[in-house]
Amino acid sequence: MRGLLLLLIGLPLLCQGASISVQGPEQLTHWLEAARPGDELKLEPGRYPGNWRVGQPLILRGQSGVIVDGGGQGTAILLAANGIELHGLTVENWGADLPEMDSAIRGEKGVSRILIANNTLRGDGFGIRFDEGEEFQILGNLILGDTSRPVVARGDNIYFKGSHQAVISGNRLSGGRDGVYVESVSEMVIDANTMSNQQYPVHYMYARETVTSNNTSHNVVGGYAIMGSEGGAVLGNRVEDAVEFGILLNISSGVRVQDNLVRRIHNPDAAAVFDGEGKGIYVYGAQDNIISGNRFAQCQIGIAMALGGEGNRVFANDFVANQVQVRYVGDVVLEWSHQGRGNFWSSYGGWDANKDGIGDLPYRPNDALDRLFWVYPEAKFLMDSPVVGVLRWLERQMLPSQAEGITDSRPLISPVIERSNL
């Protein structure tokens, strides 16, 4: 997958053609028809009002002061041919009709080999949208949605459906419904983007072999949402100050979740919503995934697991200063260590007598009383009572080695991620 990223970024999409200076909307109308495939249209500063259709493989290149104005309706730039490139344009004031797919830049169904780089898009509706097609590069763009609208009424900053082989890298995305929404796609790389003020920064539905890496997001409803997907990886991302979760694995399998930093996932309205606490990572009906090398810190719940999420490997993670480290409601014995390494738990009270970096006592992050309170949340007010404290102590003295729930037999004494790397 990394090879795909390097390959696509390094390849020019068009053969060298003529370079044509374009001054004003009348000349742009003319040259969109008269230019030959591979020609470069260099737009001079000015406003270009209208809904533009690019019907052959051309390069459109803007400079400071070039504004494409969609006139408040429809799609501002419609790409209707393979092999089109757009560089350095500012696009604004397109339509907001989501069922009509109003977008700043949209491809007709199936167009391929598209490069969109270093543009600025500000407006309602979708920022960039493609349905089907393959070989896309979306690089270094600034895309801003309308935060005055409810989040569900906004278009996504970047949207792909039924598409294959895309690189979405180095973009700054804010104010959309989702930063990047992809559905029924394969072989996508979403790398090194900065995202904020959205529902989810990255949202997968039915994706295969995708890589989400080195992205940064904050002030979002949820973090990286992987739903109904297979394979791929979530690597080295950062999410802070989300409400619902940092990472969600929902009915997905074969995904590597590694080296991510998740902090301050907190739902201020959790008390009014069943299971509404902010979760560092939420594993819901997901199997055969690897969760390692991550830090989940200062969340209401560090990791939550439900609805058959037991078949995953969870090891070498840091769980630090979460109000509840683990929420697991189930009747399966789970061991969260692998090849002699467990996880670091800031709440671990054991010791390391032989100084091998592994705690001498297993760590059990939740017990029968935790499960009782999760099933009957109306009893939560009892959690901190002295009687419950005594019952927890008695349970731990009598707990059999194969008690139901989570056991980390090899808890780490020191964090996996050094403070200098946070």
Side-chain angles (χ1 to χ4, degrees):
M1 185 64 71
R2 178 63 61 179
L4 170 66
L5 184 148
L6 295 174
L7 176 64
L8 287 180
I9 289 179
L11 285 179
L13 298 181
L14 295 175
C15 297
Q16 189 70 32
S19 179
I20 301 169
S21 177
V22 176
Q23 296 184 351
E26 292 185 1
Q27 287 193 13
L28 180 57
T29 299
H30 169 76
W31 285 113
L32 285 175
E33 296 293 332
R36 301 173 64 87
D39 286 351
E40 179 180 28
L41 305 185
K42 302 179 70 171
L43 277 63
E44 298 295 330
R47 185 170 292 270
Y48 294 76
N51 303 110
W52 301 95
R53 182 179 184 274
V54 185
Q56 54 182 323
L58 299 172
I59 301 170
L60 270 64
R61 190 179 303 276
Q63 53 185 297
S64 179
V66 171
I67 298 174
V68 178
D69 185 341
Q73 63 181 1
T75 290
I77 302 176
L78 180 65
L79 309 184
N82 298 334
I84 296 170
E85 299 183 19
L86 302 180
H87 301 263
L89 304 173
T90 294
V91 184
E92 60 185 32
N93 195 29
W94 60 92
D97 192 328
L98 301 185
E100 291 297 320
M101 302 182 289
D102 288 355
S103 310
I105 300 168
R106 177 167 65 85
E108 286 191 347
K109 189 173 182 179
V111 298
S112 299
R113 302 191 304 281
I114 302 295
L115 170 59
I116 300 174
N118 302 314
N119 301 280
T120 297
L121 316 178
R122 291 189 294 260
D124 300 328
F126 298 94
I128 295 172
R129 174 164 179 157
F130 289 98
D131 294 80
E132 302 184 6
E134 60 187 11
E135 296 184 26
F136 300 90
Q137 300 176 59
I138 313 296
L139 310 175
N141 302 281
L142 172 63
I143 306 179
L144 304 175
D146 183 359
T147 56
S148 69
R149 291 173 172 267
V151 67
V152 295
R154 307 174 199 168
D156 305 298
N157 293 133
I158 297 175
Y159 177 107
F160 278 93
K161 183 175 181 180
S163 307
H164 309 284
Q165 297 180 337
V167 175
I168 302 168
S169 181
N171 303 283
R172 289 181 291 157
L173 312 173
S174 184
R177 178 172 51 191
D178 293 327
V180 180
Y181 176 87
V182 296
E183 179 178 339
S184 302
V185 303
S186 64
E187 298 184 71
M188 288 208 165
V189 174
I190 302 173
D191 180 75
N193 303 283
T194 301
M195 296 168 278
S196 63
N197 300 309
Q198 298 135 347
Q199 175 183 239
Y200 307 143
V202 176
H203 188 177
Y204 287 134
M205 292 293 297
Y206 318 118
R208 292 189 299 107
E209 299 303 331
T210 55
V211 173
T212 301
S213 56
N214 305 309
N215 301 285
T216 300
S217 59
H218 65 279
N219 292 331
V220 289
V221 177
Y224 305 97
I226 315 302
M227 301 183 178
S229 299
E230 299 179 4
V234 181
L235 307 173
N237 302 284
R238 190 180 189 115
V239 56
E240 299 174 291
D241 301 311
V243 175
E244 295 180 353
F245 56 82
I247 297 171
L248 171 65
L249 291 176
N250 180 12
I251 316 180
S252 297
S253 62
V255 181
R256 290 185 296 123
V257 179
Q258 296 178 312
D259 305 324
N260 301 283
L261 174 61
V262 177
R263 285 198 295 208
R264 297 189 301 274
I265 312 302
H266 184 272
N267 184 358
D269 300 319
V273 181
F274 177 72
D275 195 29
E277 294 91 344
K279 304 163 181 66
I281 181 168
Y282 192 14
V283 183
Y284 189 84
Q287 300 279 343
D288 302 320
N289 304 289
I290 296 174
I291 302 168
S292 71
N294 308 283
R295 172 170 288 219
F296 304 103
Q298 300 169 267
C299 306
Q300 288 172 306
I301 298 173
I303 177 171
M305 186 171 288
L307 196 68
E310 290 86 356
N312 301 280
R313 282 192 286 178
V314 181
F315 64 96
N317 302 283
D318 294 336
F319 294 93
V320 178
N322 301 296
Q323 294 176 23
V324 175
Q325 296 282 44
V326 175
R327 170 171 292 181
Y328 167 65
V329 182
D331 55 6
V332 177
V333 178
L334 298 181
E335 171 59 53
W336 281 0
S337 63
H338 178 65
Q339 295 181 345
R341 296 189 75 198
N343 302 275
F344 173 78
W345 308 90
S346 63
S347 50
Y348 178 60
W351 54 88
D352 178 18
N354 62 359
K355 306 300 182 185
D356 64 352
I358 305 296
D360 296 336
L361 294 176
Y363 181 68
R364 293 189 174 96
N366 68 322
D367 55 28
L369 286 169
D370 289 322
R371 294 195 293 275
L372 178 66
F373 291 131
W374 297 335
V375 174
Y376 301 102
E378 64 272 14
K380 284 182 178 179
F381 72 95
L382 295 172
M383 289 185 71
D384 297 324
S385 71
V387 172
V388 169
V390 172
L391 290 174
R392 288 191 192 279
W393 182 85
L394 288 172
E395 183 184 29
R396 286 169 185 150
Q397 309 315 304
M398 298 180 292
L399 200 62
S401 60
Q402 291 299 309
E404 296 173 355
I406 309 298
T407 298
D408 185 344
S409 298
R410 308 286 289 172
L412 304 178
I413 294 299
S414 299
V416 175
I417 301 176
E418 298 294 336
R419 184 172 295 276
S420 60
N421 294 327
L422 298 180

